[in-house]
């Protein structure tokens, strides 16, 4: 699938729930904390069918996300079906990590069960190592659970475990250097992400915004000039750098300040309530659940995907007109 601007679509992010056991301020604003009714959420069969069709159209990589995907009941039964689908070579999970130690069956952690389903990467959110700050940002005192989840992911043997840290001025500037050391000790790929306006405007006030360039300077003040790694890519928009004197790489995702951010976009998103979104930072979304539930054929659904790709914008609207209309937790970050 290719859009009007030459973006080749090979990556589908699939949100499987809008529910979460945390309440991150930047993702789930206070006033939007009502869950969607169960009937409005794609069933496992519907989700698998849409992923299969995307695979037939050239999607090779998917990432399961949410909300917190591991809160979905019997989620492993969904995950088990994924490796059988055509073309999928790369299956990843985005999680806050707090449920990775939960036992799916006696002796089998969620992390090990996910790995056994053929997932090759897991991205875990961790904005700070300070327990009080973690509780303030996520609304839950679950730092020990998140850290245990990271250990469980390492023990499960995923080829790639990434840590994602959302930058927020006044919340985690002091956390950056400790996070770099934490990632180095565990051989994890750490990425810093700019806050995007997908929550209430008040959370996204200019005073909270902390650009990647400043984060980079904060880290350089401790470690020296970071060495650009333009050849190193992970199928996403992060720019990677090496820490001087270490084998460690860290990434920066400058969704707001990097003006070339959208050029290499290869993504499409499927929300848990059956909307296809050609871009996270655009209002455009198309209801594929409607034709799906009205009995559309595979061919009709394939055409639906192609039409959505055709409407993919050249770049996101975050810097201009965007005002949050839908919380991140429902779109799938
Ligand atoms: N619950 C899982 C987690 O926290 O990783 C998966 C879903 S979460 C929506 C996916 C990613 O989106 C997380 O790394 C989270 O930090 C990021 N995210 C959420 N809201 C964001 C925002 N307003 N700006 C930037 N990143 C955001
Ligand atoms: Fe939940 Fe993840 Fe959103 Fe935090 S970022 S509220 S953990 S979905």
């Amino acid at each position: 699938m290719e859009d009007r601007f030459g973006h080749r679509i090979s990556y589908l992010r699939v949100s499987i729930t809008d529910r979460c056991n945390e309440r991150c301020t930047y993702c789930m604003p206070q006033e939007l904390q009502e869950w969607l009714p169960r009937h409005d959420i794609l069933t496992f069969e519907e989700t698998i069918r849409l992923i299969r069709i995307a695979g037939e159209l050239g999607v090779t990589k998917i990432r399961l996300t949410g909300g917190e995907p591991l809160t979905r009941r019997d989620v492993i039964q969904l995950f088990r079906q994924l490796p059988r689908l055509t073309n999928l070579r790369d299956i990843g999970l985005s999680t806050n990590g707090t449920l990775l130690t939960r036992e799916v069956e006696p002796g089998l952690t969620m992390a090990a069960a996910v790995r056994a389903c053929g997932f090759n990467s897991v991205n875990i959110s961790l904005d700070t190592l300070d327990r009080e700050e973690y509780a303030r940002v996520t609304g839950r005192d679950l730092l020990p659970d998140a850290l245990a989840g990271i250990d469980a992911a390492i023990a499960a043997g995923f080829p790639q475990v990434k840590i994602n840290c959302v930058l927020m001025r006044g919340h985690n500037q002091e956390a950056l250097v400790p996070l770099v050391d934490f990632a180095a000790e565990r051989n994890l790929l750490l990425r810093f992400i700019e806050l995007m306006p997908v929550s209430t405007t008040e959370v996204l006030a200019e005073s909270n915004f902390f650009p990647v360039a400043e984060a980079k300077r904060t880290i350089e003040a401790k470690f020296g000039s970071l060495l650009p790694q333009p050849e190193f890519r992970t199928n996403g928009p992060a720019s990677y750098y090496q820490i001087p004197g270490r084998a460690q790489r860290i990434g920066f995702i400058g969704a707001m300040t990097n003006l070339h951010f959208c050029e290499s976009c290869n993504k499409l998103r499927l929300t848990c309530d059956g909307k296809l979104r050609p871009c996270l930072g655009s209002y455009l979304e198309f209801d594929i659940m409607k034709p799906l539930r009205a009995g559309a054929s595979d061919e009709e659904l394939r055409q639906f995907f192609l039409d959505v790709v055709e409407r993919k914008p050249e770049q996101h609207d975050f810097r201009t007109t965007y005002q949050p209309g839908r919380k991140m937790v429902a779109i799938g970050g």
Side-chain angles (χ1 to χ4, degrees):
M1 288 184 281
E2 191 166 320
D3 75 1
R4 294 169 294 157
F5 306 101
H7 297 126
R8 291 206 138 200
I9 308 305
S10 57
Y11 181 179
L12 181 69
R13 281 184 81 105
V14 183
S15 170
I16 57 170
T17 180
D18 66 327
R19 296 177 191 225
C20 189
N21 58 338
E22 295 194 334
R23 301 284 182 279
C24 302
T25 45
Y26 47 69
C27 177
M28 202 189 290
Q30 290 289 334
E31 66 276 18
L32 289 178
Q33 289 187 3
E34 266 175 41
W35 309 132
L36 292 163
R38 191 158 297 263
H39 179 76
D40 292 351
I41 303 289
L42 291 172
T43 65
F44 285 176
E45 291 69 27
E46 290 169 335
T47 306
I48 290 290
R49 185 170 175 213
L50 293 177
I51 297 174
R52 171 175 61 74
I53 287 170
E56 289 163 4
L57 288 167
V59 165
T60 55
K61 170 171 177 161
I62 60 166
R63 176 165 293 283
L64 282 293
T65 180
E68 175 45 48
L70 301 182
T71 60
R72 179 100 185 235
R73 191 180 306 154
D74 298 326
V75 71
I76 291 295
Q77 284 174 25
L78 170 70
F79 290 175
R80 280 197 182 121
Q81 301 176 52
L82 296 173
R84 292 201 287 270
L85 301 175
T86 327
N87 266 339
L88 292 189
R89 288 196 290 274
D90 193 343
I91 308 177
L93 174 72
S94 282
T95 172
N96 60 32
T98 58
L99 301 172
L100 283 169
T101 50
R102 187 180 271 184
E103 285 205 341
V104 177
E105 49 192 69
L108 184 70
T109 63
M110 180 63 92
V114 172
R115 175 71 187 123
C117 291
F119 282 53
N120 52 318
S121 86
V122 54
N123 289 4
I124 303 175
S125 294
L126 184 65
D127 299 337
T128 175
L129 292 165
D130 179 287
R131 187 164 174 173
E132 281 174 20
E133 191 55 56
Y134 183 97
R136 262 194 295 279
V137 171
T138 65
R140 296 289 183 270
D141 180 22
L142 291 176
L143 178 65
D145 304 67
L147 296 179
I150 291 170
D151 287 341
I154 295 168
F158 287 94
Q160 192 164 60
V161 180
K162 296 195 216 102
I163 301 295
N164 287 336
C165 166
V166 175
L167 295 164
M168 281 189 91
R169 189 179 300 287
H171 287 277
N172 61 0
Q173 283 136 293
E174 289 75 34
L176 309 195
V177 168
L179 279 170
V180 171
D181 286 335
F182 173 88
E185 284 154 20
R186 291 161 184 78
N187 198 19
L188 307 171
L189 188 58
L190 171 65
R191 290 112 50 89
F192 296 103
I193 305 175
E194 271 174 0
L195 193 62
M196 290 176 258
V198 245
S199 186
T200 48
T201 21
E202 148 218 346
V203 174
L204 291 154
E206 197 60 24
S207 54
N208 273 340
F209 186 69
F210 184 27
V212 287
E214 207 177 322
K216 187 165 164 274
R217 282 200 296 276
T218 307
I219 293 166
E220 287 183 327
K222 165 78 183 175
F223 296 103
S225 291
L226 298 177
L227 312 166
Q229 302 275 289
E231 266 86 67
F232 185 76
R233 301 222 70 86
T234 52
N235 211 348
S239 306
Y240 287 92
Y241 292 81
Q242 192 184 335
I243 304 275
R246 287 187 182 173
Q248 183 183 15
R249 288 190 184 102
I250 57 173
F252 295 93
I253 303 183
M256 306 298 288
T257 57
N258 174 0
L259 300 178
H260 302 286
F261 187 76
C262 303
E263 279 171 12
S264 57
C265 184
N266 56 358
K267 267 181 224 166
L268 212 57
R269 289 182 150 79
L270 176 63
T271 67
C272 58
D273 55 349
K275 310 281 192 301
L276 272 179
R277 282 183 78 106
C279 171
L280 174 65
S282 144
Y283 292 111
L284 289 175
E285 60 176 24
F286 303 90
D287 187 358
I288 197 167
M289 183 193 261
K290 217 169 173 187
L292 180 72
R293 291 196 173 169
S297 65
D298 280 4
E299 189 45 46
E300 285 163 335
L301 294 174
R302 263 195 290 274
Q303 193 53 52
F304 197 103
F305 269 89
L306 294 172
D307 291 345
V308 172
V309 168
E310 187 60 28
R311 305 278 301 273
K312 191 170 164 66
E314 187 169 15
Q315 52 183 338
H316 65 63
D317 291 335
F318 281 147
R319 290 180 215 101
T320 49
T321 57
Y322 202 84
Q323 279 296 305
R326 220 151 127 71
K327 52 186 175 168
M328 182 75 121
V329 74
I331 302 171

